[in-house]
Amino acid sequence: MYSLSKVFKRASLIVLFLGCTPGANAAIQGVTGTPDGTGVTFNLTTSTSNIPTPDGNSVRMWGYGVAGSPMQYPGPTLIIDQGTQVTVNLTNTNIPMKVSMLFPGQEGVSATGGTAGQFTQESSSVLGDTVTYTFTAANPGTYTYYSGTQPGLQIEMGLMGAIIVRSGTADQAYNDPSTQYDREYLFVLSEVDPKVHQDVEFGLLPMINNTVSHSTFWFMNGRLGPDTFFPDNSSFLPNQPYGSLAQMHPGERVLIRVVGGGREGHPLHLHGNNINVFARDGRLMSSNGVSADLAVSDYTIQALPGATYDGIWEWTGEQLGWDIYGTNAGGQTHDCNDVAPVDGFDDVTSEYCADHDVEIPVVLPEKQETAFGGFYSGSPFLGALSDLPPGEGGLNLNGGLFFMWHSHNERELTNDDIYPGGMMTMMIIEPHSAVIDPGNP
Amino acid sequence: MKNFKMHKLYIAMLATGIGMFSTNTIAVPFIQCPGDNFLSDGVTPGSNGVPEVVDPNVKCLHLSAGDGFATMADGRELYIFSFGDITGSDEANAIDDGIMFANLPAPTIVLEQGQEVYLSLTNVGMVLRPDLSDAHTVHFHGFPNASAIFDGLPDTAISINLGSTMTYYYNLAQPGTFMYHCHVEASEHMQMGMLGNLYVKAAQNKLPDGTNLNGFIHNAGNEYVYNDGDGSTFYDVEYPIQLTGMDPDFHDANETVQPLPFANMKDKYPLINGRGYPDTVIAGPLPAPVKNGGLVTQTQDSNITAVQGQKILLRVSSLSVTRFYSLKSLGLDMQVVGMGAKPLRTAADTANPYTTNTITLGGGEAIDVIIDTTGVAPGKYFLYTSNLNNLSNNTEDFGGMMTEIEITL
Ligand SMILES: [Cu+2]
Ligand SMILES: [Cu+2]
């Protein structure tokens, strides 16, 4: 039997050996540019590199990168404040075709330098020229950028990334209080047809038939499961800096930003609860242009290619019908104090008080009757750890509840024919006592 | 009902397989169900998953997880994994009753908001794959505010081994259209067929006769998709419509213990409720597959009928493991009233449905559609995928993901 935790553990051992531990991430990683007097400037380059796949092979990619740093997949996330004038200087280092950038959802983009292409000005590695794109980030939200030069090929090769435009209000995705959040995560979804990449690597560019597409790798933030679980900037993934492991405490509002970064749709299913999606393509879902009154709640986001989605995900375990923290009689001593505000939940831990001290209603099977997941703490209760048979579990340090977030076109949970892998990550509900991020505990 | 001889042969084959894995023990299933005071020999306390002391707010279910066969519309019998409904089988017979009882789709589970559900899952093993000792789970897909222990994800909790039984507990706080499937080896077990309809009926259905819902008068027996407070999701008849597909090459490879083609997976049998057209419109169960030992395993039809003037609720879900599907109604408007087990309503809590005749779903998505047949001419209407190359049963060029809606006077 193939097991995700066994695959992950094997990978973990390798990584531990390299001096890097699995773990989650503090905040959305990205670049904020250099102040230039009137706004900010990003100096980007495009170059080619091979990225490793968990099946032990590698894939030739093209990527954007910050000038002087390695190319990366996806390209650097550009994090910009609303209203800022943005300048992007793009220089093609060594990709054997002209390249460019498009900024869907941004208004008034102008391009100078380089040579004129189909959609915009392009940069050539042969000529060594630089294209300058400018625009004002007028609207907050989640956006994508990608190549406007043979985009069918170049996005497949990796020339895409995300843009986050921050609203004027801290910790608020849009200029609407209903979009306030405590934490945020970004998931850029994409896929690779290795045949195309092989042809590029072998210098067969003219031979590529882009009408025949057969993806066999599916990525989340440019990584394949289980690499998605490793932290940002893991040293063994030099061109794939962005992890996807998410963590939160019960009761927090978590902003989820999803980007359809490739050329296929992926139904992103969130185990654990519905998500309230309030924006598409960097625009509030609104009938009045002010508030997200047309937000929709769903347990699967239909992430279509080129589209972006923003939503708030929450979890408390409300109305489970038993105490998710365990009972006092069972040794899981805790109180449920709902004083101010009186809302049915503990003021600190967000425990749902109506279920407080209610026994789990069924007897779980004997240990020898079950298989154990590596992310299982040995206990059904949040914050509790219990004994497991030797070699089982071990990947759940705080007694958190792990929920898988993944493409529900389940074929995409494979890496070139090997299960498990592909487009998957975990959201960990951590007990209130666990520190998730020293800067945002 | 059962073809006795063949069934016993299968049990013997399974026993041989189990012998190969001496670490697996076959225990008497522990079927947990409040109020179940079954006496196995008239004296000894036991269980059969049926409460003797009935509580209307408690629902007990017992599913087997194992293998079997399903018949495609071109007559081909595909090897499948799935669940079977063995609710009521007593502990002495439950494993026997579950062997080779994989259903396609998995048994439709109809629940009511407010119920406490005790769902026991017995892993009866794979008769034709005695080398596989896979565990199984039930993933209640979309369950709000879930716990990890009853989420069915093997990586984050526990899954039940061959020969053993686990009882899942769900407190149904919210109505809606969900779905369920096994999550062990998800890409494989789901392609193999461990997929089923699951929905929770709204508490609003049980309001006292004559209750005024903001001007809409509720009559006893009225049903609604959600607790809408205004009657906007009222319907007369309902049908679960689950879109899936099967790749015969994958199923054959599994049956013959060959490497499984994930990368090349292609659903050449696009299905509604586990059948291709025209089998979709055969009312009631399909005949038992010959290879199945005589067990009837395809009970969920998609034969939609209504009297002119009625509102038809289609609880459409997709558990395709390969692709998005668009579903089209020819000549009938579809009013989309809910998605992802939530009603479409504005922030001001007013109904906000939209009308269309094509809906698109990826795997793991559900859409609630109401078709109002007021003024619709009696006759036969078609519901089919507009991904037209999927109107086929493998090499047969017409069939696949299609069914009929029959409107009568
Ligand atoms: Cu299974
Ligand atoms: Cu699912």
Side-chain angles (χ1 to χ4, degrees):
Chain A
M1 179 158 126
Y2 311 96
S3 134
L4 178 56
S5 26
K6 282 188 185 118
V7 170
F8 183 72
K9 276 183 191 162
R10 197 163 59 231
S12 297
L13 285 174
I14 297 164
V15 172
L16 284 167
F17 186 70
L18 296 171
C20 172
T21 50
N25 307 299
I28 293 179
Q29 299 287 300
V31 291
T32 53
T34 310
D36 57 16
T38 53
V40 295
T41 293
F42 298 91
N43 293 313
L44 302 183
T45 53
T46 55
S47 58
T48 176
S49 187
N50 278 36
I51 64 168
T53 56
D55 58 350
N57 294 315
S58 72
V59 181
R60 169 61 55 90
M61 301 294 292
W62 296 348
Y64 297 103
V66 173
S69 301
M71 72 73 125
Q72 57 176 80
Y73 185 54
T77 299
L78 310 182
I79 302 175
I80 303 163
D81 289 332
Q82 183 184 3
T84 303
Q85 191 185 321
V86 179
T87 302
V88 179
N89 296 316
L90 178 70
T91 308
N92 182 358
T93 306
N94 64 6
I95 288 175
M97 284 175 72
K98 289 178 183 174
V99 300
S100 60
M101 288 177 86
L102 298 177
F103 303 90
Q106 308 301 335
E107 293 157 11
V109 180
S110 74
T112 57
T115 52
Q118 177 75 36
F119 290 105
T120 186
Q121 298 296 112
E122 301 176 332
S123 169
S124 156
S125 58
V126 177
L127 300 174
D129 51 4
T130 295
V131 183
T132 298
Y133 304 97
T134 59
F135 61 90
T136 299
N139 296 294
T142 305
Y143 301 91
T144 174
Y145 66 85
Y146 45 74
S147 173
T149 308
Q150 288 196 32
L153 172 65
Q154 295 200 354
I155 294 172
E156 164 76 32
M157 287 304 295
L159 289 174
M160 60 88 182
I163 296 176
I164 292 172
V165 179
R166 298 214 173 279
S167 79
T169 308
D171 298 337
Q172 194 172 295
Y174 290 81
N175 296 311
D176 170 6
S178 77
T179 66
Q180 180 274 330
Y181 61 90
D182 300 306
R183 288 178 205 288
E184 62 173 337
Y185 295 98
L186 168 68
F187 301 110
V188 178
L189 312 180
S190 60
E191 62 285 323
V192 153
D193 171 358
K195 175 78 170 67
V196 171
H197 298 248
Q198 206 172 63
D199 287 351
V200 167
E201 189 168 4
F202 295 161
L204 303 174
L205 263 180
M207 309 286 290
I208 292 171
N209 178 356
N210 223 4
T211 62
V212 187
S213 178
H214 185 67
S215 304
T216 56
F217 288 108
W218 294 274
F219 296 79
M220 198 173 236
N221 288 336
R223 295 186 188 173
L224 300 161
D227 293 347
T228 48
F229 301 149
F230 291 107
D232 294 329
N233 305 310
S234 291
S235 56
F236 73 114
L237 298 166
N239 301 104
Q240 298 153 278
Y242 300 150
S244 295
L245 195 63
Q247 285 173 294
M248 65 176 282
H249 296 125
E252 291 178 344
R253 293 167 58 84
V254 182
L255 172 63
I256 305 300
R257 303 175 183 268
V258 176
V259 174
R263 53 187 186 183
E264 296 175 6
H266 305 283
L268 183 66
H269 174 53
L270 309 184
H271 280 235
N273 213 354
N274 275 39
I275 182 171
N276 198 46
V277 175
F278 53 70
R280 279 283 309 269
D281 299 339
R283 300 292 181 271
L284 275 186
M285 293 160 68
S286 174
S287 68
N288 52 28
V290 177
S291 65
D293 60 336
L294 302 182
V296 291
S297 170
D298 208 326
Y299 44 68
T300 303
I301 297 173
Q302 194 176 76
L304 299 175
T308 75
Y309 306 77
D310 297 307
I312 293 285
W313 197 82
E314 297 176 276
W315 187 96
T316 57
E318 180 181 0
Q319 293 186 294
L320 276 172
W322 50 283
D323 191 335
I324 188 70
Y325 297 86
T327 60
N328 291 302
Q332 303 297 325
T333 314
H334 66 289
D335 296 323
C336 204
N337 295 312
D338 181 18
V339 180
V342 177
D343 57 3
F345 297 89
D346 184 277
D347 299 341
V348 176
T349 65
S350 295
E351 177 182 352
Y352 178 66
C353 288
D355 286 342
H356 178 64
D357 226 23
V358 178
E359 285 282 351
I360 187 168
V362 292
V363 179
L364 297 177
E366 299 288 334
K367 283 197 169 78
Q368 68 272 17
E369 295 187 299
T370 63
F372 299 94
F375 300 101
Y376 182 51
S377 69
S379 165
F381 306 122
L382 177 53
L385 298 164
S386 190
D387 286 346
L388 285 168
E392 303 291 350
L395 297 170
N396 184 344
L397 304 178
N398 303 316
L401 305 179
F402 283 58
F403 292 106
M404 194 190 226
W405 289 5
H406 63 97
S407 170
H408 213 285
N409 284 350
E410 309 262 343
R411 185 172 83 94
E412 299 171 359
L413 303 184
T414 58
N415 296 327
D416 201 18
D417 237 11
I418 297 171
Y419 177 95
M423 192 179 284
M424 62 158 80
T425 189
M426 297 281 176
M427 165 57 94
I428 315 170
I429 311 291
E430 297 283 18
H432 189 263
S433 56
V435 172
I436 290 175
D437 167 9
N440 183 14
Chain B
M1 283 228 308
K2 287 188 185 177
N3 180 328
F4 182 78
K5 257 170 129 177
M6 199 150 180
H7 197 239
K8 287 295 171 200
L9 176 68
Y10 280 135
I11 292 171
M13 286 165 69
L14 183 70
T16 316
I18 289 166
M20 291 162 60
F21 289 84
S22 52
T23 50
N24 291 302
T25 50
I26 301 293
V28 172
F30 176 30
I31 310 160
Q32 300 180 58
C33 172
D36 177 8
N37 297 333
F38 176 73
L39 300 175
S40 54
D41 52 6
V43 183
T44 317
S47 58
N48 67 349
V50 180
E52 276 73 28
V53 184
V54 176
D55 177 343
N57 291 319
V58 167
K59 172 94 172 178
C60 296
L61 291 162
H62 189 188
L63 298 182
S64 57
D67 59 353
F69 286 89
T71 309
M72 299 293 103
D74 61 357
R76 183 157 166 184
E77 295 186 356
L78 285 188
Y79 180 55
I80 62 166
F81 302 164
S82 192
F83 304 99
D85 184 1
I86 53 171
T87 307
S89 285
D90 66 56
E91 54 192 17
N93 295 305
I95 288 183
D96 184 357
D97 290 346
I99 285 173
M100 289 300 283
F101 195 40
N103 278 222
L104 198 71
T108 298
I109 297 180
V110 183
L111 304 170
E112 292 174 18
Q113 187 184 357
Q115 283 178 333
E116 292 182 76
V117 178
Y118 293 77
L119 190 164
S120 296
L121 175 68
T122 298
N123 181 345
V124 302
M126 316 284 202
V127 172
L128 272 72
R129 287 298 304 274
D131 59 308
L132 280 186
S133 56
D134 285 12
H136 294 291
T137 63
V138 168
H139 170 53
F140 187 136
H141 175 110
F143 190 83
N145 270 300
S147 68
I149 193 72
F150 301 131
D151 188 41
L153 195 73
D155 316 283
T156 60
I158 55 177
S159 38
I160 196 70
N161 285 339
L162 174 56
S164 290
T165 299
M166 169 167 174
T167 302
Y168 293 80
Y169 173 83
Y170 313 105
N171 182 45
L172 300 179
Q174 292 180 30
T177 303
F178 302 89
M179 56 202 92
Y180 76 105
H181 56 86
C182 178
H183 224 302
V184 175
E185 312 284 322
S187 309
E188 176 191 356
H189 286 202
M190 291 171 66
Q191 167 62 231
M192 289 301 289
M194 305 193 80
L195 318 161
N197 290 285
L198 188 164
Y199 53 93
V200 180
K201 303 186 85 154
Q204 185 172 295
N205 298 350
K206 293 182 177 167
L207 287 175
D209 187 49
T211 304
N212 187 334
L213 295 167
N214 278 306
F216 182 96
I217 304 303
H218 168 80
N219 295 316
N222 276 9
E223 295 197 331
Y224 312 87
V225 198
Y226 294 98
N227 299 308
D228 52 44
D230 55 18
S232 59
T233 64
F234 167 85
Y235 63 87
D236 295 288
V237 292
E238 68 181 330
Y239 292 87
I241 296 290
Q242 191 160 82
L243 312 181
T244 61
M246 294 207 155
D247 176 353
D249 301 334
F250 191 98
H251 290 247
D252 288 352
N254 209 317
E255 184 177 358
T256 55
V257 202
Q258 297 300 309
L260 300 176
F262 291 109
N264 290 324
M265 194 186 285
K266 193 160 192 312
D267 288 334
K268 295 171 188 164
Y269 288 105
L271 306 172
I272 297 178
N273 290 334
R275 305 184 191 180
Y277 185 83
D279 286 359
T280 45
V281 296
I282 295 175
L286 293 187
V290 175
K291 294 179 181 173
N292 226 14
L295 294 180
V296 172
T297 51
Q298 287 166 278
T299 56
Q300 178 66 57
D301 67 50
S302 311
N303 183 46
I304 303 164
T305 61
V307 177
Q308 186 193 52
Q310 284 188 320
K311 287 186 168 179
I312 306 168
L313 167 64
L314 303 180
R315 295 180 179 271
V316 186
S317 62
S318 171
L319 279 173
S320 167
V321 295
T322 58
R323 55 167 297 158
F324 285 82
Y325 281 110
S326 294
L327 189 70
K328 192 168 187 63
S329 61
L330 187 63
L332 297 171
D333 275 349
M334 299 199 276
Q335 189 188 39
V336 176
V337 300
M339 291 166 66
K342 288 283 184 184
L344 286 180
R345 296 182 77 79
T346 67
D349 205 21
T350 55
N352 190 31
Y354 66 91
T355 301
T356 181
N357 56 39
T358 311
I359 54 174
T360 299
L361 301 91
E365 293 191 273
I367 297 181
D368 302 303
V369 160
I370 289 178
I371 294 173
D372 185 351
T373 66
T374 304
V376 169
K380 194 180 280 186
Y381 295 84
F382 293 93
L383 185 70
Y384 60 96
T385 182
S386 47
N387 304 106
L388 298 169
N389 54 326
N390 289 275
L391 292 175
S392 52
N393 302 312
N394 198 6
T395 56
E396 279 184 6
D397 280 349
F398 194 69
M401 190 177 284
M402 179 161 99
T403 191
E404 298 171 3
I405 301 174
E406 177 98 49
I407 313 289
T408 56
L409 276 179

